[in-house]
Amino acid sequence: MTATLEFRRVLLTGAGGNIGSVLREGLRPGLEELRLTDRVPVDPTEGTSETFVHADLLDAAAIDRAVAGVDAVIHLGGRPDEASFDDLVGPNLQGTFNLFDAARRAGVRRVVYASSNHATGFYRPGDRLIGEEPTRPDSLYGVTKVFGEAIGRLYADKFGLQVIALRIGSFKPRPKEPRELHTWLSPGDAVRLFRSCLTPDPVGYLVVYGVSANTRRWWPSTEAARTIGYEPRDDAEQYAEELGESSERWQGGGFTARDYGGWT
């Protein structure tokens, strides 16, 4: 049975990206409108609740139009990997501010912000993180995700916006390397995760690690995850014999290397 959603008109930024493309079908049931936005054209699925508004995150007026009239925003938009500061500052810093501020001014009730496990990548594999520890970003990309979390915290405390920051693990159809036995987020669990962010009682500000029910996961189920009713089902362990043991020094894996991304 499809859960009744608390929010009926939802904006999905970055709708043309890897995660957004997967989420669309799973998010649509129960919504009056799933409004898609991206800086590139995305075709709404005919005969569904999908609509499309073209908007670049750096165009504040376009973002204002995109958020007008929605109850909640799922913010996936931005640069999804390590890059130079100049390449990240626009979409991941200015664009994230534009989105949160437009949501505040439009009276949006909730923003679900796609953060990243790379906000805490410089913790050791033995550290069991629950989202309350100090951030330890492993990259400039991770720094921009810490910034987004901080903006969300500010807007929750100052303006009463409900914010859920999801520290997404390794979103892939299946794990491809030993590290991902710990960090994998399956497509099915991603849908369950994001839908759960639209169904619970009011929240203030929450941090939830977006990870499947992996036997070896570094980020255990937390009170925050239980608050939103997230119950992952998939487990990377079925791939363990094929992939072997992880030997990572840090949870962030390759992102922690000095030369990762080339900007150094």
Side-chain angles (χ1 to χ4, degrees), residues 170-173 184-192 211-212 233-234:
S170 303
F171 174 80
K172 295 181 179 179
W184 184 48
L185 176 65
S186 72
D189 281 334
V191 171
R192 284 182 277 274
V211 63
S212 286
R233 301 177 188 173
D234 299 323

Side-chain angles (χ1 to χ4, degrees), residues 211-232:
V211 63
S212 286
N214 305 321
T215 299
R216 309 183 190 204
R217 63 183 177 177
W218 290 321
W219 317 308
S221 180
T222 62
E223 185 60 34
R226 290 187 287 273
T227 295
I228 63 173
Y230 174 51
E231 297 180 357

Side-chain angles (χ1 to χ4, degrees), residues 62-235:
I63 296 300
D64 285 344
R65 292 192 295 271
V67 304
V70 302
D71 304 312
V73 176
I74 295 175
H75 181 45
L76 300 175
R79 181 129 185 170
D81 202 345
E82 181 68 326
S84 70
F85 182 78
D86 287 344
D87 287 338
L88 289 163
V89 66
N92 289 22
L93 300 185
Q94 183 66 57
T96 295
F97 170 78
N98 288 346
L99 185 282
F100 270 100
D101 204 55
R104 170 186 69 85
R105 289 182 283 101
V108 172
R109 289 188 287 153
R110 180 170 298 178
V111 173
V112 181
Y113 172 65
S115 184
S116 171
N117 70 96
H118 294 291
T120 52
F122 266 117
Y123 279 92
R124 298 285 187 179
D127 295 328
R128 304 278 285 174
L129 306 183
I130 63 172
E132 298 177 0
E133 304 80 7
T135 55
R136 293 186 65 179
D138 56 24
S139 52
L140 289 179
Y141 169 73
V143 169
T144 69
K145 292 304 181 179
V146 172
F147 170 85
E149 291 184 10
I151 286 287
R153 175 92 257 188
L154 172 67
Y155 275 56
D157 289 343
K158 187 180 286 287
F159 304 114
L161 183 65
Q162 299 179 41
V163 178
I164 304 173
L166 300 179
R167 289 180 179 166
I168 306 300
S170 303
F171 174 80
K172 295 181 179 179
R174 50 153 294 174
K176 294 291 188 180
E177 59 184 62
R179 174 180 175 270
E180 292 167 5
L181 295 172
H182 306 269
T183 62
W184 184 48
L185 176 65
S186 72
D189 281 334
V191 171
R192 284 182 277 274
L193 173 63
F194 280 89
R195 278 189 68 87
S196 72
C197 293
L198 302 178
T199 57
D201 293 332
V203 300
Y205 178 84
L206 294 176
V207 173
V208 177
Y209 277 92
V211 63
S212 286
N214 305 321
T215 299
R216 309 183 190 204
R217 63 183 177 177
W218 290 321
W219 317 308
S221 180
T222 62
E223 185 60 34
R226 290 187 287 273
T227 295
I228 63 173
Y230 174 51
E231 297 180 357
R233 301 177 188 173
D234 299 323
D235 188 347

